[in-house]
Amino acid sequence: NSKLRHVEKDVLIPQIMRDRAKERCSDKVQAFTKCCQETGLLMVVKCRQENSALKDCLVGYYSDPLFYEECKAEYLKQREEYRATGIKKKRQKFTSNM
């Protein structure tokens, strides 16, 4: 059964999308983080370029229907495994200092 509940469409799948997009944009996440660490309070002004590059990368993934379908398929696979085994797979958490 691949019918999705509201919480799956609006919360769980978007969470997978955010995590995977951050992984795929990790070079831009690192550049923005490094800029922020080096500039301190002036980061709003000095890290504009890095912030824009990061936003563009993330939004590119968020608005890609193929990426959504890929993340949806991943979610459905995890849901199927959970229903079959009763064991919830720990979600890999992407960490950064943003």
Side-chain angles (χ1 to χ4, degrees):
N1 181 5
S2 62
K3 186 146 173 66
L4 294 171
R5 295 175 294 146
H6 165 73
V7 71
E8 293 171 317
K9 279 191 276 194
D10 296 344
V11 178
L12 300 175
I13 293 171
Q15 182 61 52
I16 290 173
M17 291 177 75
R18 280 190 296 276
D19 291 346
R20 293 193 67 198
K22 283 181 185 174
E23 289 169 12
R24 291 183 180 190
C25 298
S26 65
D27 57 332
K28 290 164 185 64
V29 170
Q30 289 171 359
F32 179 67
T33 301
K34 184 175 182 229
C35 180
C36 290
Q37 289 170 341
E38 290 173 355
T39 58
L41 295 175
L42 296 173
M43 71 179 151
V44 173
V45 176
K46 296 215 174 199
C47 301
R48 224 178 255 152
Q49 187 175 347
E50 291 83 354
N51 190 26
S52 289
L54 174 56
K55 280 184 183 176
D56 289 347
C57 184
L58 294 173
V59 168
Y61 282 111
Y62 298 156
S63 58
D64 180 352
L66 292 175
F67 184 66
Y68 174 82
E69 290 301 322
E70 189 181 308
C71 293
K72 177 180 159 185
E74 182 181 324
Y75 171 76
L76 290 172
K77 182 176 170 228
Q78 290 174 5
R79 185 177 78 173
E80 187 180 318
E81 287 173 9
Y82 173 71
R83 287 179 176 176
T85 64
I87 300 168
K88 189 170 186 170
K89 184 181 177 197
K90 254 193 167 172
R91 207 169 73 224
Q92 186 178 8
K93 196 73 173 152
F94 182 83
T95 57
S96 72
N97 297 331
M98 291 198 323

